[in-house]
Amino acid sequence: RVIFLRQGKIAYAGDPHAAISAYLGQGVGAESHATIDLADYPRSHPIESAVFRRVRFTDGRGQPASCLRLTDVLGVEMDIQAKKPLRQFNLSMAVVHGEGLRVFSEAYSDEHALPDLEPGEYTLRFQVPMRFFKMESYFLALTMVENGKHCDYVDGLLMPELVDENPNLQMESQRWGVLRVPVTWDLIKPAAILNL
């Protein structure tokens, strides 16, 4: 069990992974967590050609989502601005576990040809099934690339909290790794008796 305090009072007491999610999301309202304005987000390099404006997390029905069930699909919508013509534009995403482990990454170019974009505002969306995730904290990192050169990069975007209506917290706390891969189990049967 974990307890964390906010202004001298218990803000959360319970499962460690849920406590980490609660701690990382403290002070963030449900609506503001579902939409992240990136206008003042710190960048390590000046932005010249393209910039992320905002990111929205949605559920499988397209509604703003600050928490999701394991059966949901996470939608990620990004508003971007091309400040100049972009050639061979690409965008990649990566998921990082709350403990800093890189989980996986994918790119727009995995499914589509690289487009050329004229200056203007664009929206791009991708979806991630949540059934592979554990009930822990995950972060999103996003990168825009033009013709192999980085345009903009943001990371540390806290993904919506995962909830389970009937959690077995003892079992959850003993799972290894940073993802859950669905495994099909046969029913237990009595061992076959060999006839000699």
Side-chain angles (χ1 to χ4, degrees):
R1 287 175 55 84
V2 170
I3 296 174
F4 83 80
L5 305 176
R6 184 185 299 125
Q7 298 178 343
K9 297 182 180 176
I10 294 177
Y12 182 88
D15 176 67
H17 297 300
I20 291 170
S21 292
Y23 174 77
L24 294 172
Q26 66 180 329
V28 180
E31 187 62 31
S32 62
H33 180 73
T35 300
I36 303 172
D37 184 355
L38 299 172
D40 297 321
Y41 198 85
R43 267 64 168 209
S44 58
H45 299 290
I47 298 169
E48 298 174 1
S49 54
V51 61
F52 289 106
R53 291 291 183 206
R54 106 186 22 85
V55 172
R56 287 180 299 280
F57 294 116
T58 62
D59 61 17
R61 297 171 304 284
Q63 299 300 310
S66 58
C67 61
L68 293 168
R69 294 170 306 192
L70 295 172
T71 55
D72 283 335
V73 172
L74 170 65
V76 180
E77 298 176 357
M78 297 151 289
D79 293 338
I80 61 176
Q81 180 187 12
K83 297 184 171 189
K84 67 179 193 71
L86 301 175
R87 302 296 171 243
Q88 298 292 295
F89 175 81
N90 201 3
L91 192 145
S92 63
M93 57 76 70
V95 171
V96 180
H97 185 264
E99 295 177 359
L101 298 170
R102 297 173 181 173
V103 179
F104 72 93
S105 63
E106 293 290 325
Y108 181 83
S109 60
D110 292 336
E111 290 193 23
H112 303 285
L114 298 180
D116 294 337
L117 300 180
E118 294 302 317
E121 303 282 333
Y122 296 89
T123 299
L124 183 60
R125 176 181 166 90
F126 64 84
Q127 295 181 319
V128 180
M130 300 311 291
R131 69 176 188 256
F132 301 103
F133 289 79
K134 293 171 64 180
M135 290 176 52
E136 299 183 6
S137 299
Y138 297 89
F139 296 88
L140 183 66
L142 300 170
T143 305
M144 279 193 289
V145 177
E146 182 210 4
N147 206 18
K149 180 182 175 186
H150 282 77
C151 301
D152 194 10
Y153 172 77
V154 293
D155 65 352
L157 306 174
L158 182 62
M159 293 172 56
E161 178 185 1
L162 285 171
V163 295
D164 187 348
E165 292 81 13
N166 302 303
N168 181 337
L169 296 180
Q170 177 68 21
M171 176 67 86
E172 288 299 319
S173 68
Q174 295 182 16
R175 293 189 190 278
W176 290 9
V178 295
L179 284 180
R180 290 186 66 181
V181 178
V183 174
T184 302
W185 296 80
D186 289 340
L187 289 174
I188 296 176
K189 300 177 187 174
I193 299 174
L194 298 176
N195 293 326
L196 299 175

